[in-house]
């Protein structure tokens, strides 16, 4: 138990130092969190250069808004991740790359088998996710990875709840198709 208290005290100290705009602490915080946040942002933005730009913008916002963080010290990581996700979404909105296609995709993997197995690694899956239209991809990532509800997604993206559900369904079907296509090509 002493370790938990000590860890919370260290995190509380870190937050206090960040709120005092200590540049060295900000730099250390950036070095510690940037790889993980870049991978989160990268799930939304395929181009690494744009993802790095969004990462930089995320940290600027984090350091500017740190005074508004009032949660428990253990929640700082979730708060930082939420800012990065929102920055990625805002970036895509500004680029107007978000499309919510309405075409019906055919589900070619109807035999009940799971096209994702243990030999597929994260890079392979990321490649398939990157092929999704941005609208599908954002809803998929927010729901599956971030754990947002359809209501929260609708509010975040400015769409209705039904559109969120539809986009998730279509994203899953498209990923299954892409995986099945690879299985067919390799089989």
């Amino acid at each position: 138990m002493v370790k938990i208290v000590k860890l919370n005290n260290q995190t509380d100290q870190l937050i206090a130092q960040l709120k005092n705009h200590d540049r060295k602490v900000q730099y250390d915080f950036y070095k510690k969190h940037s790889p993980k946040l870049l991978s989160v942002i990268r799930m939304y933005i395929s181009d690494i250069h744009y993802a790095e730009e969004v990462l930089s913008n995320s940290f600027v916002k984090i350091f500017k808004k740190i005074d508004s963080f009032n949660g428990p010290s253990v929640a700082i990581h979730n708060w930082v991740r939420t800012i990065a996700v929102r920055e990625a979404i805002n970036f895509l909105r500004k680029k107007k790359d978000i499309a919510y296609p309405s075409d019906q995709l055919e589900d070619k993997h109807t035999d009940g088998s799971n096209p994702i197995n243990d030999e597929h690694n994260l890079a392979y899956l990321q490649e398939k996710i990157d092929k999704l239209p941005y609208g599908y991809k954002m809803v998929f990532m927010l729901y599956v990875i971030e754990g947002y509800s359809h209501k929260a997604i609708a509010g975040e993206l400015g769409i209705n709840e039904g559109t969120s559900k539809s986009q998730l369904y279509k994203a899953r079907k498209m990923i299954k198709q892409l995986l099945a296509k690879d299985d067919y090509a390799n089989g």
Side-chain angles (χ1 to χ4, degrees):
M1 266 209 158
V2 173
K3 286 184 180 183
I4 293 173
V5 172
K6 186 175 182 180
L7 177 63
N8 284 342
N9 286 340
Q10 288 174 344
T11 306
D12 289 339
Q13 276 183 318
L14 172 70
I15 293 168
Q17 290 171 322
L18 287 171
K19 286 183 176 185
N20 285 330
H21 306 288
D22 182 318
R23 295 288 182 202
K24 181 179 180 344
V25 173
Q26 287 176 337
Y27 178 72
D28 292 342
F29 189 82
Y30 173 85
K31 279 180 35 180
K32 180 179 179 184
H33 293 281
S34 61
K36 183 181 270 189
L37 288 182
L38 183 60
S39 69
V40 169
I41 292 166
R42 175 61 188 79
M43 289 188 278
Y44 293 87
I45 301 172
S46 302
D47 186 305
I48 188 67
H49 301 294
Y50 288 138
E52 288 172 342
E53 179 183 329
V54 170
L55 177 68
S56 294
N57 293 340
S58 297
F59 274 102
V60 167
K61 186 169 269 187
I62 289 164
F63 296 141
K64 280 185 177 179
K65 302 231 178 224
I66 191 67
D67 291 329
S68 69
F69 177 76
N70 294 321
S73 58
V74 295
I76 188 75
H77 305 291
N78 291 336
W79 183 76
V80 166
R81 182 183 176 109
T82 299
I83 289 174
V85 168
R86 286 187 176 153
E87 284 297 303
I89 291 169
N90 289 337
F91 172 82
L92 293 171
R93 261 194 204 126
K94 287 176 187 170
K95 283 190 49 92
K96 300 196 187 319
D97 280 345
I98 302 173
Y100 298 99
S102 60
D103 58 328
Q104 295 297 321
L105 299 174
E106 195 176 310
D107 189 359
K108 295 181 181 174
H109 209 80
T110 58
D111 62 358
S113 65
N114 185 353
I116 301 173
N117 59 38
D118 292 336
E119 62 198 50
H120 289 90
N121 62 31
L122 185 58
Y124 175 77
L125 291 174
Q126 182 67 51
E127 178 187 318
K128 301 307 172 206
I129 292 169
D130 284 345
K131 291 182 180 181
L132 294 173
Y134 279 110
Y136 289 6
K137 183 177 180 178
M138 287 198 344
V139 170
F140 180 83
M141 297 304 300
L142 288 171
Y143 187 85
V144 174
I145 305 299
E146 303 300 329
Y148 282 37
S149 68
H150 286 292
K151 184 176 183 176
I153 293 169
E156 188 70 37
L157 299 180
I159 59 177
N160 68 45
E161 219 172 312
T163 301
S164 176
K165 290 176 183 179
S166 170
Q167 297 300 299
L168 177 62
Y169 174 77
K170 292 173 185 176
R172 285 179 170 163
K173 282 178 71 172
M174 189 171 183
I175 289 172
K176 282 182 182 181
Q177 283 182 317
L178 292 168
L179 293 171
K181 186 177 180 181
D182 283 356
D183 285 348
Y184 178 74
N186 294 329

